[in-house]
Amino acid sequence: MEKRTIPRHIGIIMDGNGRWAEMRGLPRFEGHKRGVQRVKEITEAASGIGVEVLSLYAFSIENWMRPEDEVSVIMGLLEESLKGEFLNFIKEGIRFRVIGNRDKLPGNIKSIIEGVEQATDKNNRLVLQCALSYGGRDEIIRAIRKAINKGLTPEDITEERISGFLDTAGMPDPDLIVRTSGEQRLSNFLLWQSAYSEFYFTNTLWPDFTKEELLEAIHEYQMRDRRFGKVSNSSGSLAGSGGSGFGVRSAF
Ligand code: IPE
Ligand code: IPE
Ligand code: MG
C-alpha cells in the first residue's frame, strides 16, 4: 500500500448490528456483541498501516431514544470492552479518547472513560477516538457556548477557533469516512470536520466488516482526486499545489 496516500484520519460509522442479528433470528444485542468484537481487528489494522486517527461512531446522541434495554446492553458492552482493552491500549501505544456529550453518560462509564483517557494520554501510535453520545450539531452548539463563555467577539470567530472548541480539537479532519450496512448518510457524524472527507459506503454489515474491506476502502480512497475546490493537481500549470490532495486521475 502506498504510504504517501494513507489517510491520516479515518472515521467509521459502524452500522448494521441490529440487522445482522435480526437476519439470523437473534435478539439485536447479539449483533452489538459481535460488533464490539470487530473493533479490535480494525483498530490493529489501521494502526499497522500508519493511520494516525481512527474515529469510531459507537453511539449517537439520537441513539438515547432507543428502547431502554438496548441502550443498557450497549452501555454494558462498552464498559466491559473498555475494561478488557485497557492494558492492550497501553501495550499497543493507543491513545483512547471520547468525543460526544458526556453529561448524558452514566457516572460509572464516565469515570472509566476518564481513567482510560488519562492513562493513555501520552501514547502516540494511534489515536482511537470513540464517538459516544455524539452528535455533530450538539458538538457545534457546545463549541459555540464555550466560545461565548470565553468572551470571544464576532471578529474572533474563525474556522480555526471553532475547530479548537470542538471535541476533536487538535485532530486532523477525517480524510475518509466509511459507513457500513448500505445506508448512505452521516447521521450527525463529524458534520463540521467532514467538509472535504471522501466517503466509502458498503452494504457489509458492521459485524461482518473485516480488515480486508478496510484495505479495500483505503484502496478506493487512493484513487480519488481530492481537489478541495481547486483545479485538479494533474490538470496543468494553473492547478493549485496546496492541500493534502493527490491528483492521480486525469481531469475530465
Ligand atoms: C449500529 O448498529 C450500532 C448503534 C447504532 C449503536 P444498529 O443498531 O444501528 O443496527 P441496525 O442499523 O439497526 O441494523
Ligand atoms: C448511526 O447509526 C450511529 C452509529 C452507527 C453509532 P444509526 O443506526 O443510529 O443511524 P440511522 O438512524 O440509521 O440514521
Ligand atoms: Mg443503524
Side-chain angles (χ1 to χ4, degrees):
M1 194 150 280
E2 208 192 326
K3 180 80 185 151
R4 187 175 64 93
T5 53
I6 295 287
R8 289 181 69 193
H9 180 176
I10 300 180
I12 306 184
I13 303 171
M14 308 183 292
D15 198 13
N17 293 349
R19 275 163 286 170
W20 183 93
E22 282 157 14
M23 275 166 55
R24 288 162 177 79
L26 298 168
R28 291 176 58 86
F29 76 83
E30 290 290 350
H32 294 311
K33 265 193 184 166
R34 276 288 290 238
V36 169
Q37 289 167 13
R38 298 312 311 144
V39 170
K40 195 170 174 144
E41 177 184 312
I42 299 306
T43 305
E44 277 168 11
S47 177
I49 56 175
V51 171
E52 292 169 41
V53 185
L54 178 66
S55 294
L56 299 179
Y57 203 6
F59 193 83
S60 75
I61 202 155
E62 285 80 24
N63 288 151
W64 290 115
M65 294 184 289
R66 292 194 179 191
E68 219 174 288
D69 57 342
E70 181 167 344
V71 170
S72 76
V73 165
I74 293 171
M75 290 300 141
L77 284 169
L78 190 87
E79 181 178 351
E80 204 179 288
S81 63
L82 270 181
K83 286 177 175 165
E85 285 306 306
F86 181 43
L87 288 175
N88 194 44
F89 290 161
I90 309 241
K91 189 171 124 245
E92 298 291 332
I94 293 170
R95 177 176 165 205
F96 177 82
R97 65 196 303 264
V98 163
I99 55 171
N101 193 323
R102 295 180 190 218
D103 293 346
K104 295 182 188 291
L105 289 169
N108 63 323
I109 304 263
K110 237 193 302 196
S111 43
I112 294 169
I113 289 170
E114 282 163 12
V116 180
E117 282 181 332
Q118 279 167 21
T120 63
D121 192 37
K122 300 282 178 291
N123 289 351
N124 55 17
R125 185 131 181 262
L126 172 87
V127 179
L128 179 60
Q129 199 164 238
C130 179
L132 187 62
S133 186
Y134 177 87
R137 288 185 174 182
D138 174 75
E139 182 191 33
I140 292 168
I141 289 170
R142 287 185 290 103
I144 294 170
R145 288 190 180 140
K146 286 180 213 165
I148 292 171
N149 283 334
K150 286 246 176 195
L152 264 68
T153 64
E155 293 70 35
D156 293 332
I157 302 293
T158 60
E159 289 195 10
E160 289 70 29
R161 293 303 281 274
I162 298 269
S163 296
F165 284 114
L166 296 173
D167 298 343
T168 51
M171 300 292 150
D173 285 341
D175 300 294
L176 169 65
I177 293 183
V178 172
R179 183 167 187 152
T180 58
S181 89
E183 309 303 344
Q184 301 192 1
R185 54 179 172 260
L186 272 176
S187 301
N188 214 357
F189 187 50
L190 300 177
L191 296 183
W192 171 277
Q193 300 87 336
S194 62
Y196 272 99
S197 300
E198 297 293 329
F199 291 90
Y200 177 87
F201 297 108
T202 171
N203 288 332
T204 305
L205 303 173
W206 174 251
D208 293 325
F209 192 80
T210 57
K211 175 185 175 171
E212 286 67 36
E213 192 159 6
L214 177 70
L215 297 181
E216 172 59 35
I218 294 172
H219 184 69
E220 193 181 305
Y221 164 85
Q222 292 181 322
M223 314 290 276
R224 306 272 178 91
D225 185 10
R226 301 187 78 190
R227 290 188 288 273
F228 298 95
K230 301 171 191 168
V231 181
S232 175
N233 280 339
S234 53
S235 70
S237 59
L238 287 177
S241 56
S244 57
F246 38 87
V248 272
R249 274 190 330 206
S250 58
F252 12 86

